Amino acid sequence: MLDERKDILIKDAYILTMDGEGRTYPRGDLLIRDGIISGVGDLAGENVEGCQVIDGKDRVVLPGFVNAHCHLQQYFRGVYELIGEFFTVNLPLEGYRRPDDMEMLGLASCAEFIYGGCTTIMVIYTYPDGFAGVVEEAGLRALLGADIEEVDLERLRYGEYVYLPEKGQAGFERAVELFEKWQGRDNGRIRTAMTPKAPDMTTGETYKKCKEFAEKHDLLITTHLSQSWREFQQVRRLHGVTPTELMDRLGILGPGFCATHCAFLTEHDTQLIARSGSRIIQCLFAHTPLTRWMDLGIDVCLGTDDYHHDMFQLIRKNIIFQAYRAKLSGGVDEMMAADRKTSRPTYYELLEMATRKGAESLGLSKDLGSLEKGKKADLITINMNNPYLKPSQDPVTSIVLYASPGDVDNVIVDGRFLKRDGRMTTIDLNQALEEAQQKSEEIIGRFFRDNPDQERMWRDRKGQRSR
């Protein structure tokens, strides 16, 4: 249950405002009143009587992470990694979750997000209504979307595209119901978006309906775009254009649109996205040209996607990915040079993508994404006083390269503590994890009973046999 808001003073901390100007206060204060940031930096003369005080010594304060693209598939961990293939394991497993599973699974999902410092999440799920109730209880800020797809996933497993208009209509109706029930709940902490699945799994007519509804109600629209070569080929077969060109033809591209993945863009596709003002959500594709997108002025933010919602790990993987791409083209020395003018992306830019850029891309930057007077108090503190992070000559470098979710000791959303001094405040963590373990075993058990070949493969690849 959420506690009442109280005035909070964080004192003598290293404050990264992420405000677009690069303002940093190596020993500054931050004051929260009624859920709003009322002062940052030097608070001399401010009346702070009665505030809860957080000692900022050895702590870095920064905006909470904006995790811009997530699915609730953590429950396939330990299975998907060994036998995982998107069309034969991932998508079929989605069909084994039931609407009422969210009561058990959703709380553990919220715990994972909060524990690692995600204060705002964009979650796309087949049955988001049940998850929305858990989000309300846990205190997160969330943008929720109902997965709208029209293909028969079982047939798609074998490479066949069979479109089911009634399935697409049911998905669209769930999205409308989600909007009517949850849009703007709790002073805007819970909002909704229109989220058609992908150009190969959703028809053009459904995209048009989603666009019309989004424009009427001023909602974000986002989709998986060029996420697989199979998608690219299917759209070409059906429409004679690339997936991005189809989005352009349908009028989807624009400042209110976020494209996720973009792993198979042509140069023309990239230029279309840049000219339209569309945003890109970068997840875990190693070969995407992140620095190229940045150089073209495309706003890029980050999303953890499926199985492991650790923003620190995602940031580090993007460093590795871009170094790998540069090495293949012979430019690694230049890209990783010490000169910050040529080193791309910089560690600070990556933190921007995880905070301010995420808020901008999701249309939330008026209230979130940076630590500035008048913005909502959504922030985290990172405790640097451990042998992995201290000593440090530059907290930004140390956080990006070495921090982990356990180093996040305070998480505040709307001026309320969701994690304080390393302990969850709105979720009974042990109970949530135990219930999620039981439910995930039930789901995987049903899947294995129907797919014994997958279970045999899983056991073989584990290299062990259970008695």
Side-chain angles (χ1 to χ4, degrees):
M1 184 174 180
L2 288 176
D3 293 332
E4 291 298 317
R5 294 190 186 95
K6 297 178 181 178
D7 293 345
I8 300 169
L9 173 65
I10 303 176
K11 194 168 182 58
D12 295 330
Y14 192 104
I15 300 176
L16 292 169
T17 68
M18 312 306 296
D19 65 355
E21 300 294 328
R23 291 187 182 90
T24 300
Y25 299 96
R27 191 173 178 180
D29 299 340
L30 187 142
L31 182 61
I32 300 170
R33 292 194 186 281
D34 196 27
I36 302 295
I37 298 172
S38 66
V40 184
D42 182 2
L43 302 184
E46 285 274 1
N47 179 13
V48 295
E49 186 176 349
C51 291
Q52 296 184 74
V53 178
I54 297 176
D55 183 0
K57 185 177 184 298
D58 291 320
R59 284 175 172 80
V60 174
V61 185
L62 67 156
F65 292 133
V66 178
N67 195 339
H69 184 85
C70 318
H71 303 291
L72 305 179
Q73 291 164 319
Q74 304 96 306
Y75 319 107
F76 310 157
R77 290 177 190 157
V79 172
Y80 183 79
E81 295 91 334
L82 296 180
I83 60 173
E85 201 281 327
F86 184 68
F87 292 99
T88 62
V89 177
N90 184 308
L91 290 181
L93 262 172
E94 289 186 18
Y96 282 79
R97 294 175 303 185
R98 298 164 179 165
D100 58 356
D101 288 339
M102 274 302 100
E103 187 172 344
M104 285 190 177
L105 297 177
L107 209 55
S109 295
C110 288
E112 182 182 10
F113 291 124
I114 294 168
Y115 194 85
C118 296
T119 54
T120 298
I121 55 175
M122 167 69 173
V123 169
I124 303 166
Y125 180 56
T126 310
Y127 306 110
D129 184 69
F131 183 65
V134 177
V135 168
E136 186 174 44
E137 177 184 348
L140 278 163
R141 192 176 304 281
L143 200 61
L144 303 176
D147 226 347
I148 305 171
E149 64 189 18
E150 293 173 81
V151 291
D152 184 328
L153 294 181
E154 186 61 28
R155 300 285 290 276
L156 186 62
R157 186 174 177 178
Y158 302 101
E160 300 177 54
Y161 279 90
V162 177
Y163 292 91
L164 307 172
E166 65 277 10
K167 185 178 182 182
Q169 181 61 28
F172 180 78
E173 289 174 1
R174 280 196 302 272
V176 173
E177 291 169 4
L178 184 73
F179 167 82
E180 291 174 345
K181 184 174 180 179
W182 291 101
Q183 177 68 11
R185 285 276 285 266
D186 197 6
N187 196 30
R189 185 165 57 81
I190 300 176
R191 304 185 190 187
T192 63
M194 295 305 290
T195 56
K197 183 83 165 187
D200 63 327
M201 300 186 198
T202 312
T203 64
E205 287 306 308
T206 299
Y207 270 101
K208 288 179 182 178
K209 286 200 300 184
C210 291
K211 177 178 182 289
E212 290 170 4
F213 192 86
E215 288 182 343
K216 179 179 179 180
H217 298 285
D218 193 25
L219 303 180
L220 178 80
I221 184 167
T222 182
T223 196
H224 301 84
L225 185 63
S226 286
Q227 69 173 332
S228 71
W229 185 239
R230 183 183 287 191
E231 173 200 326
F232 193 96
Q233 291 176 306
Q234 174 67 0
V235 173
R236 269 275 173 84
R237 278 194 295 266
L238 290 179
H239 304 285
V241 294
T242 68
T244 304
E245 289 169 339
L246 178 61
M247 293 296 98
D248 185 48
R249 178 187 293 180
L250 295 172
I252 303 297
L253 299 186
F257 172 66
C258 287
T260 303
H261 299 318
C262 297
F264 296 93
L265 297 183
T266 66
E267 178 58 25
H268 182 243
D269 293 339
T270 303
Q271 295 294 336
L272 283 175
I273 289 174
R275 288 198 297 268
S276 69
S278 301
R279 277 65 182 259
I280 292 178
I281 304 173
Q282 164 74 347
C283 297
L284 289 169
F285 281 91
H287 58 282
T288 50
L290 175 60
T291 53
R292 166 74 172 150
W293 296 338
M294 294 167 63
D295 289 341
L296 288 172
I298 299 172
D299 282 337
V300 184
C301 59
L302 301 179
T304 52
D305 203 14
D306 286 325
Y307 300 100
H308 194 224
H309 299 302
D310 180 349
M311 292 291 281
F312 297 104
Q313 184 181 99
L314 176 62
I315 288 170
R316 284 193 280 274
K317 284 188 174 181
N318 273 287
I319 296 172
I320 295 168
F321 294 162
Q322 295 310 300
Y324 178 71
R325 288 191 76 256
K327 185 175 182 179
L328 289 179
S329 62
V332 69
D333 291 336
E334 180 180 353
M335 195 197 87
M336 302 302 288
D339 181 358
R340 292 178 67 85
K341 293 181 180 179
T342 60
S343 176
R344 304 293 303 281
T346 67
Y347 299 154
Y348 188 84
E349 284 174 325
L350 286 162
L351 281 181
E352 281 187 312
M353 291 179 206
T355 54
R356 183 171 58 83
K357 290 290 185 181
E360 290 175 356
S361 295
L362 299 184
L364 304 174
S365 59
K366 178 182 178 182
D367 296 321
L368 311 171
S370 60
L371 303 182
E372 299 179 75
K373 187 175 181 178
K375 288 199 171 185
K376 293 184 182 296
D378 288 16
L379 55 92
I380 62 176
T381 69
I382 297 176
N383 190 345
M384 304 287 287
N385 194 31
N386 70 67
Y388 290 92
L389 295 176
K390 188 179 180 180
S392 172
Q393 306 308 309
D394 175 37
V396 171
T397 300
S398 295
I399 288 170
V400 168
L401 292 181
Y402 311 120
S404 67
D407 298 321
V408 178
D409 60 351
N410 292 291
V411 177
I412 297 173
V413 174
D414 251 359
R416 299 185 178 100
F417 284 99
L418 307 189
K419 184 181 184 183
R420 184 166 189 181
D421 297 328
R423 298 178 63 85
M424 309 293 285
T425 63
T426 60
I427 296 173
D428 183 329
L429 185 58
N430 289 334
Q431 180 179 340
L433 295 180
E434 184 59 33
E435 290 179 349
Q437 180 68 32
Q438 294 174 11
K439 181 59 68 174
S440 66
E441 288 175 5
E442 290 177 19
I443 295 170
I444 296 298
R446 293 198 302 269
F447 177 72
F448 280 160
R449 282 193 295 273
D450 293 344
N451 299 272
D453 57 324
Q454 299 283 10
E455 182 176 19
R456 285 192 296 271
M457 185 185 302
W458 176 63
R459 293 193 181 282
D460 288 342
R461 293 183 177 179
K462 281 201 306 178
Q464 64 188 61
R465 300 285 183 179
S466 298
R467 292 186 181 274

